[in-house]
Amino acid sequence: MNESSVPPGELCAPLPLRTGRCWSLFGVWYRHVRVYRKTLLANATPPVLESLYFFAAVAIGLGSYLLKTGFDGLPYVTYVASGVLAGSAMMCAVFETTYGTFVRLVYQRSYDAMLGTHLRISEMFVGEMLFCATKGAVFSTIVLLITTLCGARPTIWCLLVPLIGFVTGYLWAAVGLVVTSYVKTINNFSFFTTGIITPVFYFSGTFFPVRGHYAWLDVVAMLVPLTPSIELSRALFKASFTPVTGIALVLLLGYTALFHWLALRRMTARVLR
Amino acid sequence: MLARGLAKHFRDVRAVDGVDFAVAPNECVGFLGPNGAGKTTLMRLIYSALRKTAGELSVFGLTPMQQRKQINAGVGVVFQENNLDEDLNAAECLLIHALYCGLSFRTARRRAAELLEWMALSPKARSTIRTLSGGMVRRLMIARALLHSPRLLILDEPTTGLDPQVRHTIWAALRELKRQGMTILLTTHYMEEAQQLSDRVLIMDRGRIILSGPPNELIGQHLERYVLQASGLTEVPAATDGIRHERAGDADCFYSNAEPLLQALYDRLPTRSAVLRHANLEDVFLKFTGRGLHE
């Protein structure tokens, strides 16, 4: 113990503290950015590659044989690109707040440590969801750039893609937190990922139009929380906005608000035991 | 800090079952008790990590949970189990926690460096948490709790499982903090730790405070001054005036205020595995919480 390094009295001298919401959220967000940056290549490569495999196999591979016309007035490559970029925002966010959050909650007990600070419980989790939203924005932008290089044709409206990725990331981070709040052992997540996330990824209009077959299916499809994101992303690629686009926007924001509220409520109960 | 009839029940378990106590500024209070006595639960109530079931609690004159932010801005917590962020190295752990505590980047870096130095951890600044020894982890946890210069430091079993060197180092650090004006709450089941550091101890058992006072007063009030402790006696010597005898299992304790009486007894004992010593807090503790297992 080297006590000379700190002058007597200095250890306990009062320090100015920033206890405002913005700085608290920034602290939590920055923690995740810092950790993520360390393992950037290992963390970011699989989800980006995964989306691109789908894109290559389905849009470029299968699509070039079977689908000369595309859907929704878009060439098929562009159609799939617009869907996959929203899907990748969902994937990266939902994995962070399921497996990642569970490890911090149960194994690393990080939230216990945070409870010892002035951070509000809401700030702990909103900061985390904002990080996922940031990831969603970055991932969807990366997918946009690469698919464009591979032949998708964006419009100027596609500059708004990061925004859709951001909100989609936030929404699915919240969904992940709600699920995590119920989970007892980490293996339970496989029910959620294969039972919910995978079908959502495939059947929200990512690769083919779900709507237009049956009326009831239209309603169901629109209610799946990823569909509004894909609908909006597609509107950007088409540069055409219809009443359905408006409904999608309202649904996306509505779902985000709902799951934000649920996630905080559930996680508060879980953390305070 | 003031608690009145404070209680926390988990379903049918009364973890904290109506406790009353007060803590003055710059006091060091030790909470002693067997495992499951409710010490950790009580600490969690103080830093708003649990909702109370009943009673009153105020910290710095504020109400936990309702005024969590204001209270915790002045509280540092050293947890029982290691919950350092394993995705970060030692210096980063402190930096990030300092941001959580509301320090600016510049102050956070300075404090982190100072406290690493103070805890003799500077050479380990870039090490990941997994590579640190138990003693280093605990010192880092203490450094982390001090980043924002809290007025109140809560330590939940700070030296459990550590070697004597680390324990004494940590005790020296805590005494220094107390000299600098910090209020300290400490839970432990090491009587020596409580006796070394605390102005006052509260002995808890089954969620209640069963005894409180300065360590030496407690010993003086409730026990004779000396104890002769022996085990494996096949034949217990006849009782003498001025000596009180207790037996638990194969262990015998003889208590007296007159050391020569016990010394004489010691000389007559057929076994050499006997110790004659001053009565200590552990004797008081065992007297009041019993010798049986509590779990």
Side-chain angles (χ1 to χ4, degrees), chain A residues 1 13 18 31 38 115 119, chain B residues 68 85 92 102 118 149 169:
Chain A
M1 187 88 47
R18 304 173 175 179
R31 179 265 170 206
K38 287 183 153 197
L115 275 181
L119 290 179
Chain B
R68 182 166 190 278
D85 196 331
E92 285 174 324
W118 192 58
S149 274
T169 316

Side-chain angles (χ1 to χ4, degrees), chain A residues 128-208:
Chain A
E128 198 159 308
M129 292 192 280
L130 285 174
F131 166 69
C132 293
T134 311
K135 251 168 87 174
V138 172
F139 274 53
S140 52
T141 309
I142 293 175
V143 172
L144 170 66
L145 292 177
I146 300 181
T147 52
T148 303
L149 289 177
C150 297
R153 271 178 254 141
T155 63
I156 185 75
W157 288 99
C158 289
L159 289 173
L160 292 175
V161 158
L163 203 61
I164 292 179
F166 188 88
V167 181
T168 307
Y170 195 94
L171 164 61
W172 286 93
V175 172
L177 285 181
V178 172
V179 172
T180 304
S181 75
Y182 287 100
V183 161
K184 296 280 181 282
T185 73
I186 199 160
N187 300 322
N188 293 160
F189 283 122
S190 49
F191 292 111
F192 174 64
T193 50
T194 45
I196 308 265
I197 293 301
T198 311
V200 162
F201 185 70
Y202 287 109
F203 302 113
S204 297
T206 323
F207 301 105
F208 58 92

Side-chain angles (χ1 to χ4, degrees), chain A residues 251-272:
Chain A
L251 272 177
L252 178 62
L253 296 177
Y255 274 133
T256 307
L258 173 69
F259 278 97
H260 163 92
W261 176 79
L262 258 181
L264 293 186
R265 196 187 143 91
R266 290 286 316 157
M267 285 316 279
T268 303
R270 174 96 196 227
V271 167
L272 290 182

Side-chain angles (χ1 to χ4, degrees), chain A residues 223-269:
Chain A
L223 288 179
V224 173
L226 183 61
T227 312
S229 301
I230 292 180
E231 207 55 59
L232 287 168
S233 156
R234 215 146 265 162
L236 299 181
F237 276 82
K238 286 192 286 189
S240 103
F241 305 93
T242 62
V244 175
T245 320
I247 295 173
L249 184 62
V250 170
L251 272 177
L252 178 62
L253 296 177
Y255 274 133
T256 307
L258 173 69
F259 278 97
H260 163 92
W261 176 79
L262 258 181
L264 293 186
R265 196 187 143 91
R266 290 286 316 157
M267 285 316 279
T268 303

